[in-house]
Amino acid sequence: MTPASTDPIQTQLRAIVDAARERRAEDVVVLDLTDVSSTLEYFVICTATAGLQLNAVQENIRNKAQEAGLPRPSVEGPSERWLLLAFGGSIVVHIMTKDAREYYDLEGLWSDARTLSFPEQATERG
């Protein structure tokens, strides 16, 4: 499903997805949890290498999300394998190494959630 660009939450999700991709995060997935959870709305999950790339991805996401109107996130982790950014109760971003992502299998745990599509924009492919 391709989200409507006029919805503020969809614009914020797009900003987060683009920010992750700008720092070379891989396999960026957005799960819509609104129909399967009473407390969570959206997960953004992406893969990064440990250390410097994890930090670069989270820093860019924080900056772009605030520009898109999201509050300052709370941060859990960080570790060399995983970092979580929670923007209020609406959007939770998981930045994980490949091993951590396979181990925690959030897409499998939330397999009933809808996956939203945010195709890469042509301008990103310089």
Side-chain angles (χ1 to χ4, degrees):
M1 175 179 180
T2 302
S5 60
T6 56
D7 182 358
I9 194 96
Q10 301 302 328
T11 302
Q12 293 166 341
L13 288 167
R14 165 54 85 180
I16 290 169
V17 167
D18 289 347
R21 289 177 177 156
E22 283 175 12
R23 295 299 178 260
R24 306 276 193 255
E26 298 176 355
D27 197 16
V28 182
V29 173
V30 179
L31 299 180
D32 179 347
L33 306 174
T34 56
D35 293 335
V36 296
S37 173
S38 60
T39 56
L40 300 168
E41 294 182 23
Y42 298 94
F43 271 1
V44 178
I45 306 166
C46 62
T47 302
T49 56
L52 293 175
Q53 189 189 17
L54 268 166
N55 289 329
V57 171
Q58 70 94 11
E59 186 176 310
N60 203 41
I61 288 172
R62 289 168 71 119
N63 292 336
K64 302 292 181 166
Q66 285 187 289
E67 288 173 13
L70 283 163
R72 179 184 206 127
S74 61
V75 179
E76 293 185 28
S79 76
E80 288 294 313
R81 300 180 58 215
W82 168 82
L83 184 128
L84 180 145
L85 300 172
F87 295 93
S90 58
I91 300 173
V92 177
V93 179
H94 299 270
I95 308 166
M96 308 170 121
T97 63
K98 184 175 180 173
D99 289 343
R101 189 163 177 176
E102 289 173 4
Y103 178 79
Y104 291 106
D105 189 24
L106 295 177
E107 289 103 326
L109 284 172
W110 294 98
S111 61
D112 293 343
R114 289 184 308 134
T115 300
L116 302 182
S117 176
F118 289 87
E120 290 193 48
Q121 296 179 352
T123 57
E124 290 180 4
R125 298 176 185 246

